[in-house]
Amino acid sequence: MQKYSASFLGRDCPGVVAVVSSLFGESRCNIEAMTQTTLCGEFAAIFVVIAPENLSLDDLRKNLVDGLAATKVDLSVMLRPAIGQAWGAGLELEPFVITIDGPDGPGIIGAMSRILGRHGVNIENLKAILGEMSEGHALFIFEVLVPKTTDLGRLRRELVHEAQKLNLNASIQHRDIFEAVNRVSSF
């Protein structure tokens, strides 16, 4: 068996996940992992599949592209051999959540992600919520993996300093604490 990674991007519509997953099934591929989201009417997904040995990358790509065209689902496809192991294998990592909020403006994500990159911190997930609290307000939630060797105090100071330069607030919490504080309890 061989592993492939397939990325899809295009117009969101009901049934899009059903179409893509059915096309993998028709090609005798087993979905090992997947994630998907929608944003402003756009659908984005990444699938990691295990394919039969006799199914080449080009043949699978053709099956997916032809199948999408036949069902009139408007998605582009990128297919490649799967990487095989996640970033940070062998490193001791801690999950943290960083929130940045305040007035929206250009360059916020770039400024914060440059600091994270300098400290060897990997962004696992990033969500930007714009205008929800008030017009022009932005909230960015970075879910990150921090190597245990990272100086957390220095990382925090640099994030807060950069946020203040941009008129923003910054917070960094271990994911377990963030989830405990933000957990919605049932009645």
Side-chain angles (χ1 to χ4, degrees):
M1 294 294 182
Q2 50 200 339
K3 250 187 220 186
Y4 296 131
S5 172
S7 302
F8 298 86
L9 180 64
R11 186 180 309 266
D12 187 32
C13 65
V16 67
V17 173
V19 168
V20 171
S21 58
S22 294
L23 292 172
F24 281 125
E26 291 168 12
S27 294
R28 299 178 335 277
C29 293
N30 187 45
I31 298 170
E32 181 176 86
M34 70 90 60
T35 185
Q36 69 93 177
T37 192
T38 59
L39 181 66
C40 299
E42 294 287 330
F43 171 87
I46 303 170
F47 289 76
V48 175
V49 299
I50 298 173
E53 282 299 327
N54 63 348
L55 182 64
S56 73
L57 192 71
D58 290 335
D59 288 341
L60 179 55
R61 180 180 293 111
K62 181 175 179 0
N63 294 352
L64 293 170
V65 170
D66 291 351
L68 290 168
T71 58
K72 297 187 179 7
V73 173
D74 181 21
L75 295 177
S76 59
V77 180
M78 186 175 94
L79 196 61
R80 59 189 249 169
I83 293 170
Q85 80 179 29
W87 173 86
L91 295 176
E92 288 189 67
L93 303 167
E94 290 281 340
F96 282 82
V97 177
I98 298 167
T99 57
I100 308 293
D101 74 297
D104 190 20
I108 296 170
I109 294 172
M112 297 304 154
S113 61
R114 279 190 296 277
I115 293 168
L116 297 173
R118 280 198 309 267
H119 286 271
V121 174
N122 192 50
I123 301 169
E124 293 284 296
N125 194 21
L126 171 57
K127 181 150 185 134
I129 303 167
L130 305 175
E132 206 166 271
M133 294 179 71
S134 66
E135 181 88 22
H137 183 267
L139 172 62
F140 301 95
I141 303 169
F142 293 78
E143 295 177 45
V144 299
L145 289 176
V146 180
K148 283 194 173 186
T149 57
T150 299
D151 181 340
L152 284 174
R154 184 173 176 201
L155 174 61
R156 184 183 317 271
R157 285 188 302 276
E158 287 184 31
L159 287 168
V160 168
H161 176 73
E162 187 66 28
Q164 287 172 341
K165 286 181 5 186
L166 298 168
N167 233 3
L168 302 165
N169 300 307
S171 167
I172 180 170
Q173 293 178 308
H174 193 279
R175 183 180 63 204
D176 294 343
I177 295 170
F178 180 85
E179 288 176 352
V181 169
N182 293 286
R183 185 170 294 130
V184 177
S185 62
S186 59
F187 293 91

